[in-house]
């Protein structure tokens, strides 16, 4: 696959290297230092940093503003956009806004339902769904046109991504669904956190059989478990998350003070195993409020130093 | 049908507490079937109001009438002669009935006695569930006869989302995932080819988004 945009993330994966991304959740306030600090921790260890868009439907600083802060300190942001809060007018407008700051990566999502967040009584929009948002930004980029058909002066140059959860139900349509996202125009996929490796590898195999891994960069989602409590919470409380019993047991069998270390170890083993999985092009390391661990994981998983591309 | 649910009596009393003559107006259609606004419920609400006024020791009259429908001129006209004597009408028809009554009896306050909820079915007695949001451009032909607009919490046209788990929606273990239902049904009718196709961006201008809607049929106009 050849790079079509100025995105460094795209160039790295197009050159055949594993891409590495991480995630930064904007603060529940307006202090830009929170974002900068998180960014500084990741600098040099990842190719790009996703900035979440009011994740779990809790109000935070806007993804676009936080992306700009990261960009200004020299990081490459991935603008996450959910279709929950904005209609097609606002979405296109924010895409232009991001493009005006030369933000070159975007992740299209439908977003968690607002009932999970701090405004459960709010409306949701869902004018477009995530696939239609992918189509929208690809049209804006490739045809240089708005959804309404008018021409865009200086169209956005976004490397367009989407999320997939290989563990959500029904499993048998998950690869078909990936195919639809690729057809809509997704160029990279970041997956849900992987703890069930067998199931994940089966999903990648299905994607390979459909020829999809030739068309899209799959970045495996990795989240270090901090404690057995977190493992149990993810298993039982987070919709669509698959944490097998043996992972919970492994954490439970580890003395409390060593659990965080064990969680990081599991991560590194996961990355090492998935590096061998044909069709995996990179890793998306989401260390939720634990960004300082990302450099260690990247180093110990043999993903450091990060490749340089022009 | 249009499904409604009873409003808390305190909310209704708040509106009519100072009235002397009140009419409770029911409807014989949908709200009768969902046991919120038919003749039986008119009786129950009227009795509750009478009890309230009696306890307060005020002299008051509460009358009961249930019309065939409140969304047609013809039936609403049946109360033309009597309407003037009331200082309030509590309509326990759906929101449509409440409004049409208010439009017709311009100088009489009309209050809603139910919360109008959705377009749905009686799954079993005491359980009504949503099926349609009247989006104005029905897409059921492509989704195996199951509506993602009304039944998917994110009205995804290319679902399911990542939160679908064991057939249930991410919002609640008591809510079916519409997209699981759609896929099961497409499989049953051997039309998974429909699922493989990308659903293009929907024209929501026929929906609520386009402003108040009208259906005009000159062929049947008199
Ligand atoms: S697609 Fe629209 S018209 Fe058809 S059932 Fe759903 S909401 Fe109703
Ligand atoms: S879980 Fe199913 S019904 Fe719920 S929002 Fe996701 S796709 Fe829609």
């Amino acid at each position: 696959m050849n790079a079509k945009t100025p995105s460094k993330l795209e160039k790295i994966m197009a050159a055949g290297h594993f891409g590495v991304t991480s995630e930064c959740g904007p603060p529940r306030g307006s202090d830009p230092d929170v974002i900068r600090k998180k960014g500084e921790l990741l600098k040099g260890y990842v190719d790009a940093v996703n900035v979440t868009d009011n994740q779990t439907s809790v109000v935070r600083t806007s993804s676009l503003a936080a992306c700009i802060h990261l960009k200004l300190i020299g990081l490459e942001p991935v603008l996450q956009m959910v279709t929950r809060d904005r209609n097609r007018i606002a979405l296109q407008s924010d895409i232009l806004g991001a493009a005006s700051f030369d933000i070159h990566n975007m992740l299209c999502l439908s977003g968690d339902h607002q009932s999970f967040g701090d405004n459960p009584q709010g409306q949701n929009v869902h004018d477009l769904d995530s696939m239609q948002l992918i189509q929208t930004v690809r049209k804006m980029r490739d045809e240089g046109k708005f959804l309404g058909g008018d021409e865009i002066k200086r169209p956005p140059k976004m490397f367009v991504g989407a999320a997939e959860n290989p563990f959500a139900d029904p499993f048998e349509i998950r690869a078909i669904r990936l195919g639809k996202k690729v057809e809509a125009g997704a160029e990279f996929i970041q997956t849900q956190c992987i703890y069930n490796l067998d199931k994940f590898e089966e999903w990648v195999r299905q994607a390979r059989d459909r020829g999809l891994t030739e068309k899209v960069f799959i970045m495996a989602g990795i989240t270090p478990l901090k404690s057995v409590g977190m493992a149990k919470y993810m298993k039982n409380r987070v919709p669509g998350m698959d944490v097998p019993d043996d992972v919970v047991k492994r954490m439970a069998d580890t003395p409390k003070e060593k659990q965080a270390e064990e969680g990081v170890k599991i991560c590194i083993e996961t990355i090492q195993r998935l590096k061998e999985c044909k069709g995996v092009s990179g890793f998306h390391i989401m260390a939720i409020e634990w960004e300082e661990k990302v450099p260690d994981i990247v180093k110990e998983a043999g993903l450091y130093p990060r490749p340089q591309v022009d | 049908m249009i499904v409604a649910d009873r409003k808390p009596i305190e909310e209704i009393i708040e509106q009519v507490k100072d009235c002397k003559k009140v009419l409770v107006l029911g409807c014989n259609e949908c709200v009768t079937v969902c046991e919120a606004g038919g003749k039986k419920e008119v009786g129950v609400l009227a009795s509750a109001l009478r009890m309230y006024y009696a306890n307060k020791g005020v002299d008051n009259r509460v009358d009961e009438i249930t019309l065939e429908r409140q969304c047609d001129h013809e039936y609403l006209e049946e109360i033309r002669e009597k309407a003037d004597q009331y200082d309030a009408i509590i309509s326990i028809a759906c929101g449509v009935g409440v409004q049409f009554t208010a439009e017709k009896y311009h100088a009489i306050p009309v209050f809603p006695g139910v919360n109008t909820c959705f377009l749905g079915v009686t799954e079993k007695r005491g359980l009504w569930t949503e099926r349609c949001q009247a989006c104005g451009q029905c897409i059921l032909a492509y989704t195996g006869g199951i509506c993602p607009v009304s039944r998917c919490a994110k009205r995804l046209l290319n679902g399911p989302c990542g939160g679908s788990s064991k057939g249930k929606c991410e919002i609640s273990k008591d809510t079916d995932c519409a997209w699981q239902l759609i896929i099961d049904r497409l499989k049953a009718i051997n039309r998974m080819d429909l699922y493989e196709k990308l659903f293009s961006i929907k024209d929501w201008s026929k929906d609520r988004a386009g402003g108040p809607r009208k259906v005009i049929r000159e062929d049947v106009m008199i």
Side-chain angles (χ1 to χ4, degrees):
Chain A
M1 288 177 260
N2 293 323
K4 298 180 207 81
T5 71
S7 157
K8 182 170 84 180
L9 178 63
E10 182 183 22
K11 284 180 187 161
I12 285 174
M13 291 195 286
H17 306 292
F18 285 114
V20 179
T21 51
S22 187
E23 182 177 283
C24 163
R28 301 211 66 206
S30 64
D31 183 358
D33 280 338
V34 179
I35 303 158
R36 291 188 199 117
K37 266 189 208 132
K38 284 187 181 178
E40 291 294 350
L41 290 170
L42 301 168
K43 213 173 192 175
Y45 293 96
V46 299
D47 308 317
V49 179
N50 283 46
V51 182
T52 50
D53 182 5
N54 298 303
Q55 77 266 30
T56 64
S57 309
V58 169
V59 179
R60 293 165 184 278
T61 289
S62 74
S63 175
L64 177 52
C67 280
I68 295 165
H69 287 298
L70 291 181
K71 175 110 189 166
L72 291 174
I73 60 165
L75 281 148
E76 178 161 306
V78 179
L79 175 73
Q80 293 197 181
M81 280 187 137
V82 300
T83 58
R84 177 192 61 224
D85 309 324
R86 279 164 292 187
N87 71 0
R88 62 189 79 178
I89 300 171
L91 288 166
Q92 293 177 89
S93 160
D94 280 351
I95 290 169
L96 287 185
S100 75
F101 282 95
D102 288 329
I103 288 167
H104 297 309
N105 307 289
M106 181 176 148
L107 192 78
C108 305
L109 305 162
S110 53
D112 299 310
H113 193 263
Q114 72 276 10
S115 58
F116 292 100
D118 62 345
N119 287 276
Q121 296 177 336
Q123 276 279 11
N124 56 19
V125 180
H126 298 298
D127 178 18
L128 308 182
D129 66 18
S130 59
M131 297 215 196
Q132 295 164 344
L133 178 58
I134 298 169
Q135 289 177 308
T136 301
V137 60
R138 283 294 304 265
K139 182 184 172 97
M140 291 172 76
R141 181 188 90 188
D142 300 342
E143 295 171 33
K145 293 215 168 102
F146 291 107
L147 279 181
D150 291 345
E151 206 173 298
I152 301 173
K153 298 198 179 76
R154 193 176 185 268
K157 292 183 187 152
M158 298 277 185
F159 180 39
V160 180
E164 250 311 298
N165 182 0
F167 310 107
D169 290 320
F171 182 65
E172 71 270 25
I173 58 96
R174 285 289 145 186
I176 304 177
R177 193 169 148 75
L178 175 66
K180 283 172 82 170
K181 286 201 171 161
V182 172
E183 192 195 325
E187 298 165 304
F188 71 100
I189 296 288
Q190 292 171 323
T191 76
Q192 173 71 289
C193 325
I194 302 156
Y195 300 103
N196 186 342
L197 277 82
D198 294 339
K199 199 165 184 183
F200 178 75
E201 285 168 343
E202 170 58 21
W203 174 76
V204 177
R205 191 189 60 71
Q206 290 179 10
R208 256 195 333 257
D209 289 350
R210 292 180 165 255
L212 298 172
T213 54
E214 305 296 312
K215 296 183 188 152
V216 69
F217 298 111
I218 294 176
M219 305 189 74
I222 308 286
T223 290
L225 294 167
K226 264 188 185 169
S227 63
V228 65
M230 176 174 171
K232 283 187 183 154
Y233 180 83
M234 299 265 256
K235 182 185 176 71
N236 301 321
R237 304 293 292 278
V238 182
M241 187 77 78
D242 184 346
V243 188
D245 291 334
D246 56 320
V247 175
V248 179
K249 184 166 184 305
R250 184 169 161 186
M251 291 297 284
D253 290 348
T254 308
K256 217 174 164 75
E257 65 285 358
K258 290 255 165 78
Q259 282 177 0
E261 209 178 294
E262 195 65 20
V264 169
K265 227 189 254 168
I266 295 173
C267 259
I268 292 160
E269 289 168 21
T270 303
I271 296 177
Q272 254 138 11
R273 176 163 154 189
L274 294 182
K275 274 178 162 181
E276 306 301 320
C277 176
K278 204 167 155 267
V280 171
S281 300
F283 298 93
H284 180 45
I285 306 169
M286 297 162 275
I288 305 152
E289 296 304 320
W290 208 18
E291 288 80 4
E292 67 271 22
K293 271 287 152 209
V294 173
D296 290 349
I297 296 170
V298 172
K299 277 190 278 188
E300 284 177 50
L303 294 166
Y304 189 80
R306 300 304 310 140
Q308 297 301 313
V309 288
D310 56 347
Chain B
M1 69 175 144
I2 297 174
V3 178
D5 197 5
R6 295 163 307 168
K7 262 193 187 299
I9 181 80
E10 300 77 29
E11 204 182 315
I12 299 171
I13 287 173
E14 185 54 34
Q15 305 300 335
V16 295
K17 57 180 192 286
D18 300 322
C19 297
K20 291 274 166 256
K21 272 186 97 180
V22 174
L23 172 64
V24 179
L25 191 62
C27 174
N28 224 350
E29 296 281 348
C30 309
V31 288
T32 297
V33 182
C34 64
E35 303 188 40
K39 193 163 185 220
K40 191 177 80 196
E41 293 75 29
V42 166
V44 172
L45 176 58
S47 309
L49 289 173
R50 280 182 207 117
M51 209 139 50
Y52 165 78
Y53 291 121
N55 284 344
K56 257 189 35 173
V58 293
D59 187 24
N60 197 292
R61 210 175 106 195
V62 181
D63 288 346
E64 307 174 21
I65 297 178
T66 300
L67 299 176
E68 196 51 37
R69 282 201 284 283
Q70 289 187 32
C71 50
D72 268 322
H73 289 295
E74 182 189 344
Y75 301 107
L76 267 180
E77 281 302 326
E78 289 172 9
I79 58 165
R80 176 66 61 201
E81 302 302 311
K82 307 173 205 147
D84 277 351
Q85 56 180 304
Y86 297 105
D87 3 281
I89 298 176
I90 302 168
S91 163
I92 58 173
C94 69
V96 176
V98 179
Q99 291 182 66
F100 216 36
T101 306
E103 281 169 40
K104 261 199 174 303
Y105 299 103
H106 201 62
I108 306 168
V110 177
F111 299 110
V114 297
N115 289 320
T116 301
C117 301
F118 49 77
L119 307 181
V121 296
T122 312
E123 278 198 28
K124 57 179 187 192
R125 190 153 178 219
L127 177 65
W128 293 274
T129 54
E130 184 165 17
R131 289 292 184 278
C132 175
Q133 285 183 355
C135 75
Q137 199 158 46
C138 195
I139 58 169
L140 289 175
Y142 308 99
T143 56
I146 290 158
C147 169
V149 177
S150 58
R151 300 184 70 186
C152 165
K154 302 175 191 168
R155 66 176 191 191
L156 304 178
L157 300 183
N158 292 285
C161 76
S164 178
S165 180
K166 299 188 182 72
K168 299 297 171 188
C169 173
E170 70 172 33
I171 61 162
S172 153
K173 287 195 166 65
D174 301 325
T175 305
D176 290 329
C177 168
W179 276 96
Q180 177 78 58
L181 298 176
I182 291 170
I183 288 157
D184 291 346
R185 172 103 172 122
L186 288 176
K187 274 196 210 148
I189 59 172
N190 210 9
R191 287 306 308 271
M192 274 302 278
D193 59 301
L194 289 172
Y195 183 70
E196 304 233 355
K197 275 194 213 93
L198 262 177
F199 211 108
S200 53
I201 295 176
K202 187 164 163 66
D203 171 3
W204 290 112
S205 68
K206 307 277 190 298
D207 180 67
R208 179 209 65 82
R213 295 171 279 180
K214 267 185 198 154
V215 172
I216 303 173
R217 284 274 310 276
E218 276 166 13
D219 58 330
V220 295
M221 276 184 192
I222 323 170

